[in-house]
Amino acid sequence: MRYLLEAWNAVVERLRSAKSIELFLDFDGTLAPLRARPEQAHLPAPTRRVLRRLARRPRVRIWVISGRRQADVSGRVAVPGVLCLGLYGWENGGLPSLHDETLRMLAEARSALAKRLDGSAGLWMEDKGAAFALHCRGAEPSAFGRAHAAIEGLRGEFGRWLSVTGGDCVWEVMPRELRGKGDAVRLHLRHARSGALPVYIGDDAADEPAFAAASHGITARVGAARQTRAAFRLRNPSEVGRALEKLDLEVP
Ligand SMILES: [Mg+2]
């Protein structure tokens, strides 16, 4: 797989000739470096500056699609003209509506997990209203093992209603009714101008369906080499900032 910054010639013509660019960006681990706790993550100032410039270009539309709640990610991006979507693209101006049974299963799974992990140091749960996450950054290996076992139990018990995605030191548990980032990207591309070029940059397992949804465009996965559906790689969020600066130079 090629590094996007080193293979820029392979994309430059497409960026210049596209009628419009639909730029989709993940937040944590992509725009913002990962931190021990999600509340510590912030958008680096140079990235905010380039997003501000890009958001003013009439040919560019920018979406930040995060697993966070919408208000949370909007507050952290805070760039006029950049639309932030929460809960993997499904929270936009209100929580998505879910079936009563799904909500009941979500609540049951959450309390079952909390009970199983009671007292395991370094693990903590984050309630996102229509989903929840189990964080294990900095946890002892024994606590990590307990978390892994508990998550597998959850998959078995609640797999009909809930899906579990493993990320970087985090498991995200969400209703199957929330269809994830790939469907969210597809939905927005349906409303894009013809000749629009999608660009998707993300770092996580939850971004993989979105790479597939934007595979006719330019896709890049951030972080260490691993199996991915993205066509290019970027090493870290500061390279994402540099890629956005290069992109800014290509769209007058
Ligand atoms: Mg991420």
Side-chain angles (χ1 to χ4, degrees):
M1 176 158 341
R2 291 177 295 174
Y3 284 101
L4 182 58
L5 294 179
E6 282 121 58
W8 195 253
N9 283 344
V11 300
V12 70
E13 223 13 79
R14 301 177 70 196
L15 290 170
R16 285 179 190 159
S17 63
K19 289 228 171 63
S20 68
I21 292 170
E22 306 288 319
L23 176 58
F24 298 96
L25 301 158
D26 167 53
F27 186 75
D28 292 273
T30 298
L31 289 173
L34 294 171
R35 294 282 180 254
R37 292 185 67 99
E39 63 269 26
Q40 295 164 338
H42 69 272
L43 188 66
T47 306
R48 177 169 288 112
R49 281 196 293 274
V50 69
L51 282 178
R52 225 178 253 146
R53 288 201 301 276
L54 277 168
R56 285 198 292 261
R57 308 242 181 245
R59 276 178 56 209
V60 181
R61 275 206 301 181
I62 310 174
W63 321 79
V64 175
I65 303 191
S66 172
R68 289 175 184 262
R69 294 297 304 272
Q70 186 179 30
D72 182 355
V73 66
S74 297
R76 280 165 210 280
V77 172
V79 174
V82 173
L83 183 60
C84 296
L85 302 171
L87 294 174
Y88 308 93
W90 296 97
E91 188 187 16
N92 184 15
L95 273 183
S97 67
L98 296 168
H99 287 116
D100 288 349
E101 192 188 17
T102 303
L103 288 170
R104 210 166 48 242
M105 289 303 153
L106 194 65
E108 266 183 39
R110 194 165 42 215
S111 68
L113 191 62
K115 227 176 277 162
R116 278 171 212 168
L117 296 175
D118 191 29
S120 303
L123 303 174
W124 62 280
M125 285 172 69
E126 181 190 0
D127 187 1
K128 300 183 183 187
F132 63 91
L134 173 61
H135 295 267
C136 57
R137 187 172 296 276
E140 296 287 319
S142 63
F144 183 85
R146 265 199 302 283
H148 191 260
I151 284 286
E152 285 311 309
L154 215 71
R155 262 193 238 267
E157 231 173 297
F158 297 95
R160 209 178 121 197
W161 302 275
L162 309 175
S163 68
V164 182
T165 314
D168 197 351
C169 299
V170 61
W171 284 282
E172 303 271 1
V173 182
M174 61 181 155
R176 292 197 178 277
E177 275 178 77
L178 289 187
R179 286 168 299 150
K181 292 184 174 188
D183 278 49
V185 165
R186 243 175 245 116
L187 185 72
H188 292 294
L189 286 179
R190 269 209 290 278
H191 300 293
R193 275 179 262 179
S194 76
L197 177 72
V199 177
Y200 190 101
I201 308 178
D203 74 312
D204 223 330
D207 297 302
E208 289 295 331
F211 293 139
S215 62
H216 55 297
I218 297 165
T219 54
R221 177 147 178 174
V222 184
R226 57 191 128 188
Q227 193 78 11
T228 178
R229 302 175 85 158
F232 295 97
R233 281 181 56 201
L234 289 161
R235 288 180 180 85
N236 50 46
S238 85
E239 282 202 355
V240 174
R242 281 175 53 208
L244 294 177
E245 273 165 23
K246 284 169 86 71
L247 195 155
D248 184 50
L249 296 176
E250 310 300 349
V251 279

